Amino acid sequence: MKLPFLKAPLSQEIQKEYDKLINLVSSIPVPSLILKQIEGTGGKVSISDLISYQIGWGKCLIGWYESGIKGEVPIMPGEGFSTWDYTAIARHFYQKYQYHHHDEQNQVFHQVVLQLLDIVEKEYQAGNLDRVGVWSWCTLKSGKQWPLSKWIKINTSSPYKRAYQLIKKASY
């Protein structure tokens, strides 16, 4: 997915880590994609589960951002959860974002990444991506404020890189 119009360094990082992950996943035989042999959040997971996880957090992030645009404070983390129970949320994502065909799952993942790249580019151009205090929902319970870029990074490029490493370690 080489997108030449990406100007923000964060967009380029997201694209790089997404490309590495999706290229690795695409190189693995389809039957292996559902084998639960990777130690992940909530126990043994499959490659398909790892992609479901990326889709779930990406969709949450998009929802948080869209609420923020409307001046609303999103219910976080969302998806029916009001507390940060990472194991329960992960299991929810594994089920909700499973598809009958891996191509369909990859297409949904691709669309989520494109939406996130659009957000990054728009906010980068507006000068809001790395500014603290622009988005009220980017405030932690401790009161510490993060820029939008940090929320995006911890829900995109960093977990994409982690998923890639977990898959490589599992040696498919």
Side-chain angles (χ1 to χ4, degrees), residues 22-67:
I22 208 67
N23 287 336
L24 177 60
V25 170
S26 297
S27 74
I28 296 170
V30 174
S32 297
L33 297 175
I34 58 170
L35 298 176
K36 294 191 182 284
Q37 59 186 34
I38 299 170
E39 195 58 49
T41 304
K44 295 284 186 184
V45 299
S46 68
I47 294 171
S48 182
D49 291 335
L50 290 176
I51 300 303
S52 296
Y53 189 79
Q54 310 313 317
I55 293 168
W57 283 117
K59 285 184 175 267
C60 281
L61 184 56
I62 292 164
W64 303 334
Y65 174 79
E66 288 173 348
S67 290

Side-chain angles (χ1 to χ4, degrees), residues 83-97:
T83 60
W84 296 88
D85 181 346
Y86 291 103
T87 300
I89 294 167
R91 288 182 179 141
H92 169 73
F93 291 157
Y94 301 155
Q95 290 177 356
K96 183 171 183 180
Y97 299 110

